[in-house]
Amino acid sequence: MSKGSPGPTPGFLVWRLANKWRVAVDRAVAPLGLTHAQYSLVASLYGMQRAGERPSQRRLADHTGLEALYVSKLARALESAGLIERTRDPRDPRAVQLALTEQGQAVTRQAVDVVQELLQQLLQPLGGLDAARTRAFTAELTALLDAPLAPTVAHDQSTPGRTP
């Protein structure tokens, strides 16, 4: 929280909410052998596959907002668990394509159902998953996520008129 504000800042609240939801999803999908990050990967992959796409690890990283190296690490763990398969892209031998296995599809369907129930519970204060307030909240979050970040400017303390 900042010294000048009477209450929590929006950034602090977003951080707290993200942590609360991450922990809740972690707990909800743990019985299925997944973490929240793994769930994000397989659920995204499931949706992309249903749309006819076989994404590369890079494409999935861009879609989920996760670092490419982290997606690679998650993909290897999910491959070891028999939930996804990783193959070389025939169009680009440097790229790795991902696909859910049959077992991965079954686990992902279960996980999606569990997380949908959890989201209904978490969004109940706004009226639930299909409520107008939830749609407005989603639109606001999307606007914040879509806003580009300006490049970080180093603070030059030798510049006159600037306060460090």
Side-chain angles (χ1 to χ4, degrees):
M1 296 195 324
S2 78
K3 294 178 183 178
S5 75
T9 65
F12 178 75
L13 293 173
V14 167
W15 178 74
R16 288 280 317 270
L17 183 61
N19 281 317
K20 177 182 179 177
W21 284 26
R22 182 191 50 78
V23 168
V25 173
D26 268 337
R27 288 178 181 154
V29 299
L32 298 170
L34 297 172
T35 65
H36 184 250
Q38 290 172 329
Y39 168 76
S40 296
L41 195 107
V42 297
S44 295
L45 187 53
Y46 182 73
M48 295 168 105
Q49 274 187 221
R50 290 184 65 188
E53 194 174 342
R54 185 173 178 139
S56 67
Q57 286 183 172
R58 163 55 62 194
R59 168 83 175 94
L60 197 54
D62 292 344
H63 179 80
T64 60
L66 297 170
E67 292 292 327
L69 238 72
Y70 190 46
V71 168
S72 177
K73 179 183 173 183
L74 291 170
R76 283 192 302 274
L78 291 164
E79 182 180 40
S80 293
L83 301 180
I84 69 168
E85 57 185 21
R86 300 166 65 236
T87 57
R88 291 281 172 209
D89 185 334
R91 296 164 298 187
D92 181 359
R94 297 167 298 163
V96 175
Q97 290 182 316
L98 303 174
L100 290 168
T101 62
E102 281 188 42
Q103 178 188 359
Q105 289 179 27
V107 168
T108 301
R109 280 191 296 272
Q110 288 179 289
V112 166
D113 289 345
V114 166
V115 171
Q116 287 297 306
E117 287 178 31
L118 176 62
L119 283 175
Q120 185 66 25
Q121 177 188 349
L122 292 170
L123 291 166
Q124 201 53 53
L126 300 180
L129 198 52
D130 298 319
R133 285 182 65 197
T134 299
R135 286 190 298 280
F137 178 60
T138 302
E140 297 290 344
L141 291 172
T142 301
L144 292 173
L145 287 168
D146 288 346
L149 290 176
T152 305
V153 178
H155 294 292
D156 183 359
Q157 294 172 340
S158 65
T159 304
R162 286 201 148 177
T163 311

